[in-house]
Amino acid sequence: MYDLVIRGGTLVTPAETFTADLGIRGGRIAALGRGLAGDHSLDAAGLLVVPGAVDPHVHLQTPVGATQSSDDWASGTRAAACGGTTTLIDFVEPDLGASLLEALAARQAQAEGAAVIDYGLHMTLLKTPPAVLAEIQAVVQAGCPSFKTYLTYEGFYLDDDSFLSALESVAAAGGLVLVHAENHALIERLRQRLPAAGQTAPRYHARSRPVGAEAEAVERAAALAEAAGCPLYVVHISTDRGAAAVARARRRGQAVYGETCPQYLLLTEAELERPGFEGAKFVCSPPLRPAGHGDALWRGLADGNLQTVGTDHCPFFYQGQKDLGRAVFTEVPNGLPGVEARLALLYTFGVGTGRLTLNQWVHVCCANPARIFGLYPRKGTLMPGADADLVLFDPNAAVTLSPERLHENVDYTPYDGLALRGYPRLTLARGQVLAEDGAYVGPPGGGRFLKRAYGKDH
Ligand code: URP
Ligand code: ZN
Ligand code: ZN
């Protein structure tokens, strides 16, 4: 007898699609089979039953310049749950020279009691002095084996020497380096030159960060990671050439993983041309690209050269935050909202168009992020023993996206007006219903910090 049986749904795992019941006991998946009996049951006939989605790239409650991202741990994780995401990985952003372990403890304390879904944390490495690099091993042991580095952004970026030190230290500790790969010198030059020539509108944000800035940095990051013997995860790849550099590294046998995001798959730099200051709603880094790059990224996901779709959810209100940059694009806070709609967007525009199979959809949104970041098979798949984190997904639901429909704490969505076919009906985490038909119905603050280890399962 199970606590709950999900009856008669079409189960989609990374490997298979089949009709079965799913039995849950003690918050875990206990059985997949026919005719299972439970204290309670949910009819899933006509629905897809997929693993709770895992978003490996989220910035909640994160200071950026003079402001901070507008979703906090409570609002951001509720929005995630409403969209079928049951695990996310955010970041610890220690001050330069500060203790990594102390920053980790402070960030965990901030999420504790507020997050409604389980979460992990990546540790950001700045130009870290040796005493702080020495903490990396302890950070890995504390359950954070993934370290974020930036090759651009004033105050954050690592030169080659510092990046190599980070790669070597993380490799020695058995961890994985994430990299935001854009060429700093080129971007800084353009960020000064364009405004000086009167080119201040949001559209010039894209011109200040050309395709070559990403292509060069991905290639360089992969070469330095190879020399240091460090696994590398390239976040938010936006270009065909960035994706090709990851594919080349993988072909030569390197542990290099590539992530892209819905905004790079679905939107183009034309959004930055919107009238007035509206283009600011689409300012993120790397920037949206000319048409054509999205097709290359979809192909990368389908052929396995790109492994994951994260959201890089980093929301700012248009009124009151994005407009800090009315005078000049360099002052617009960088980032887009997106934590809620990822699973459904990838279904409509991936599975619905034939670009991805059902199983590839589950790979890129659920299983691969869980595998790469040490959460699999507890998260990211449907098998006995895994946490009962599930989405009952209605492939026929018609939903038009709007800020009113979504739960993100922000006054717009970059996907406003998009008509979706397919949307989560129910989201369960550890066997408990968190969201139903787009409304949060779970308890406050039940999310747990997930201790992770790199290389457990891939
Ligand atoms: O524009 C973006 N992507 N903002 C969030 C920070 C980052 O670079 O990932
Ligand atoms: Zn970034
Ligand atoms: Zn990011």
Side-chain angles (χ1 to χ4, degrees):
M1 190 68 122
Y2 301 99
D3 302 337
L4 175 64
V5 172
I6 312 288
R7 200 170 297 292
T10 301
L11 274 53
V12 188
T13 75
E16 293 174 282
T17 305
F18 54 99
T19 301
D21 301 339
L22 184 152
I24 296 170
R25 192 184 292 131
R28 293 187 178 224
I29 298 174
L32 310 177
R34 299 276 181 165
L36 304 183
D39 293 336
H40 302 277
S41 69
L42 286 170
D43 180 11
L47 302 178
L48 304 175
V49 180
V50 301
V54 178
D55 190 338
H57 188 162
V58 176
H59 303 271
L60 301 176
Q61 219 170 318
T62 298
V64 175
T67 188
Q68 77 167 21
S69 59
S70 58
D71 261 317
D72 61 17
W73 283 96
S75 65
T77 55
R78 278 171 182 249
C82 291
T85 290
T86 51
T87 301
L88 59 78
I89 314 182
D90 204 300
F91 298 84
V92 183
E93 308 277 4
D95 292 334
L96 185 61
S99 157
L100 305 182
L101 287 168
E102 284 174 20
L104 171 61
R107 190 73 164 142
Q108 268 182 257
Q110 195 183 56
E112 196 60 38
V116 302
I117 60 170
D118 291 352
Y119 65 96
L121 291 166
H122 308 293
M123 175 62 67
T124 298
L125 294 177
L126 303 176
K127 277 194 184 154
T128 306
V132 176
L133 285 179
E135 283 189 278
I136 285 177
Q137 185 76 61
V139 173
V140 171
Q141 275 155 12
C144 299
S146 44
F147 293 83
K148 174 76 178 293
T149 59
Y150 293 90
L151 300 187
T152 188
Y153 290 149
E154 209 51 57
F156 284 82
Y157 85 102
L158 302 184
D159 57 25
D160 287 353
D161 190 55
S162 306
F163 184 52
L164 272 167
S165 297
L167 289 165
E168 286 178 353
S169 304
V170 171
L176 162 78
V177 163
L178 288 77
V179 67
H180 172 135
E182 290 184 289
N183 182 294
H184 185 67
L186 174 55
I187 289 169
E188 281 309 302
R189 198 166 274 239
L190 293 168
R191 278 167 63 83
Q192 285 168 22
R193 195 173 283 167
L194 292 165
Q199 298 178 322
T200 56
R203 76 170 68 95
Y204 294 105
H205 175 72
R207 313 244 177 112
S208 73
R209 309 180 90 96
V211 167
E214 176 172 288
E216 182 279 331
V218 177
E219 192 73 50
R220 172 165 45 101
L224 297 182
E226 181 181 31
C230 189
L232 185 73
Y233 178 94
V234 186
V235 296
H236 52 43
I237 293 174
S238 63
T239 62
D240 51 3
R241 287 164 61 186
V246 168
R248 276 195 297 279
R250 291 175 64 81
R251 275 200 296 276
R252 55 181 186 256
Q254 256 185 275
V256 174
Y257 312 100
E259 168 197 273
T260 190
C261 311
Q263 55 270 35
Y264 303 118
L265 293 163
L266 299 172
L267 305 175
T268 72
E269 66 177 10
E271 305 290 358
L272 291 158
E273 308 278 348
R274 288 195 182 201
F277 188 60
E278 291 272 316
K281 292 179 176 174
F282 299 87
V283 168
C284 58
S285 294
L288 302 180
R289 301 298 186 181
H293 290 277
D295 291 334
L297 299 172
W298 281 112
R299 280 196 299 276
L301 291 173
D303 66 20
N305 282 322
L306 295 176
Q307 286 67 49
T308 67
V309 177
T311 60
D312 195 10
H313 176 76
C314 191
F316 299 100
F317 280 82
Y318 178 59
Q319 306 281 356
Q321 292 191 293
K322 287 285 189 185
D323 55 12
L324 292 169
R326 261 189 200 277
V328 56
F329 71 86
T330 53
E331 298 299 319
V332 178
N334 282 206
L336 303 186
V339 77
E340 191 165 348
R342 177 184 59 140
L343 192 65
L345 286 168
L346 268 284
Y347 184 82
T348 292
F349 297 103
V351 180
T353 60
R355 285 165 164 147
L356 298 179
T357 66
L358 277 174
N359 309 99
Q360 286 168 335
W361 174 55
V362 166
H363 260 297
V364 302
C365 292
C366 315
N368 284 348
R371 273 185 207 275
I372 292 168
F373 292 111
L375 294 168
Y376 192 89
R378 179 172 172 194
K379 307 290 189 186
T381 193
L382 304 177
M383 65 164 65
D387 284 353
D389 293 0
L390 312 169
V391 182
L392 274 56
F393 191 91
D394 181 351
N396 296 311
V399 168
T400 300
L401 290 177
S402 68
E404 295 73 32
R405 179 73 176 70
L406 297 172
H407 302 77
E408 298 160 342
N409 181 39
V410 63
D411 56 359
Y412 77 100
T413 169
Y415 308 107
D416 205 354
L418 282 188
L420 303 185
R421 171 65 65 161
Y423 213 77
R425 166 83 60 83
L426 278 181
T427 305
L428 290 84
R430 282 185 262 108
Q432 183 170 30
V433 176
L434 293 190
E436 188 165 358
D437 287 327
Y440 186 76
V441 297
R448 294 184 193 158
F449 174 67
L450 297 167
K451 285 185 86 168
R452 301 174 293 111
Y454 174 69
K456 233 171 27 77
D457 191 284
H458 47 85

